[in-house]
Amino acid sequence: MGVRLGMRAGRGLRAGRAAAMLLALGVALTAVSPTTPASAAGAGPFTGAGAWVSIFSGAAVWDHPATHVARMQRAGVRTLYLQTSSSASPVRTQVFRRTQVARFLVAAHARGMRVVAWYLPPLRHTDRELSRAMAAIRLRTAGGQRFDGFALDIEPSGSTPAGARRNANLAQLSRRLRASAGRSYPLGAIIPSAVGLSLSPRFWPAFPYETVGRYYDVVLPMSYSTSRVSGATATYDYTMRNIVFLRERLGPLVAVHVIGGDAGRSSRLETRGFVQACNDAGVAGASMWHYTAYGVEDWQEMNLLHG
């Protein structure tokens, strides 16, 4: 594409320069207008810079919630995305390390941060999967604190059924989740990269974007540019293409929080390209996968995220 990402730290490209870059990348300008107040408001706790902690982040993280929350807050993180359950480990646990989850909530709220629970269901037993999701949503600390939102990780696992049954189970789980959580509770849908799906159509044929648009307030595409491209310009382009697709498919006001590539595999310039694309597109929020993979340069670049 031959476009240099000579981006200014802190504020990014001016409007004319951004427009020229988008044209060079072949992106429709009408599809990447900055997020309006309506879509930003709908994003709720999903706005700003985020950090992800999974149940596999290890005892070094889970045993010391206050220490790591303080580190996140100093780095500019506004929302902690905390995995609360897994279908694989431990199998019968509704909330993983419930006491530590409560400590994360208390520590983050004390520092003005929000906390969103997330869970990956295999889409096989919707009763069990709904129970795990609602266990996180209904969780209360001793002081009455709770999660600020919940995100369902919508991607196939090893035991996920294929074809129409997969989509039907997702629709059923999503409908029941919305009904159980209530109309006003912030729900996010973590979904595969739209560009990635187009490149690997057998991963999830006929992905049900309509279900996502109907039941969820915010879409969190796993853009994961580090799995597909390299270099700052290519990262910018790949990130922007995912945002544009979602706005074309779900409407220009859809609230989007983009999950970038693996922080451990992203160079400073690639992270800068990711952040610049998010800023130019005016998304509600952004983050990279995952918290323990961030380097100092990643924190520095993510701190330039607008909003």
Side-chain angles (χ1 to χ4, degrees):
M1 278 161 269
V3 180
R4 292 182 61 223
L5 288 182
M7 292 160 283
R8 297 186 305 170
R11 290 299 174 187
L13 302 174
R14 291 176 296 180
R17 192 175 173 196
M21 178 176 285
L22 294 176
L23 286 173
L25 293 172
V27 177
L29 290 175
T30 55
V32 293
S33 57
T35 302
T36 65
S39 58
F46 298 88
T47 56
W52 296 80
V53 170
S54 79
I55 67 172
F56 304 106
S57 293
V61 175
W62 279 92
D63 288 351
H64 307 283
T67 298
H68 291 282
V69 165
R71 181 189 178 208
M72 294 177 198
Q73 193 268 339
R74 287 194 300 269
V77 171
R78 293 175 58 183
T79 301
L80 163 61
Y81 295 88
L82 186 66
Q83 186 178 9
T84 55
S85 187
S86 168
S87 300
S89 174
V91 175
R92 292 182 175 83
T93 301
Q94 293 283 73
V95 175
F96 177 76
R97 299 194 66 176
R98 186 185 185 95
T99 299
Q100 298 305 95
V101 165
R103 291 178 61 192
F104 270 112
L105 277 168
V106 172
H109 287 161
R111 290 182 174 272
M113 293 168 55
R114 298 158 304 214
V115 192
V116 170
W118 65 277
Y119 161 57
L120 167 62
L123 300 176
R124 292 188 66 84
H125 304 288
T126 56
D127 286 345
R128 182 187 305 163
E129 293 156 8
L130 176 65
S131 179
R132 286 190 174 123
M134 291 308 301
I137 293 172
R138 291 172 176 154
L139 183 145
R140 299 293 184 273
T141 68
Q145 297 189 39
R146 66 175 193 166
F147 282 104
D148 302 286
F150 176 86
L152 192 72
D153 189 354
I154 302 171
E155 56 179 313
S157 62
S159 61
T160 301
R165 183 185 171 195
R166 176 192 296 176
N167 287 358
N169 285 358
L170 174 62
Q172 181 187 64
L173 177 59
S174 299
R175 175 180 54 78
R176 295 177 66 190
L177 178 61
R178 171 53 73 192
S180 299
R183 294 182 61 182
S184 63
Y185 190 81
L187 292 179
I190 305 167
I191 68 170
S193 158
V195 178
L197 286 175
S198 70
L199 296 173
S200 303
R202 289 190 294 180
F203 183 75
W204 192 320
F207 184 81
Y209 291 101
E210 293 74 15
T211 295
V212 171
R214 176 176 297 178
Y215 296 111
Y216 298 90
D217 303 297
V218 183
V219 182
L220 298 90
M222 293 177 280
S223 186
Y224 288 13
S225 54
T226 51
S227 298
R228 295 287 185 180
V229 300
S230 62
T233 300
T235 299
Y236 180 103
D237 181 31
Y238 190 85
T239 303
M240 189 67 77
R241 287 166 62 196
N242 276 296
I243 298 167
V244 169
F245 177 91
L246 291 173
R247 288 178 174 170
E248 289 178 342
R249 188 64 184 263
L250 298 176
L253 299 185
V254 62
V256 179
H257 177 109
V258 187
I259 310 172
D262 181 346
R265 296 171 55 193
S266 182
S267 70
R268 176 185 285 275
L269 289 179
E270 287 168 338
T271 301
R272 186 176 299 176
F274 166 67
V275 171
Q276 192 64 57
C278 292
N279 284 342
D280 288 349
V283 298
S287 54
M288 297 189 70
W289 179 261
H290 52 89
Y291 165 65
T292 58
Y294 274 78
V296 174
E297 68 281 359
D298 297 308
W299 292 122
Q300 291 171 342
E301 297 299 332
M302 286 298 297
N303 198 42
L304 302 180
L305 183 71
H306 294 173

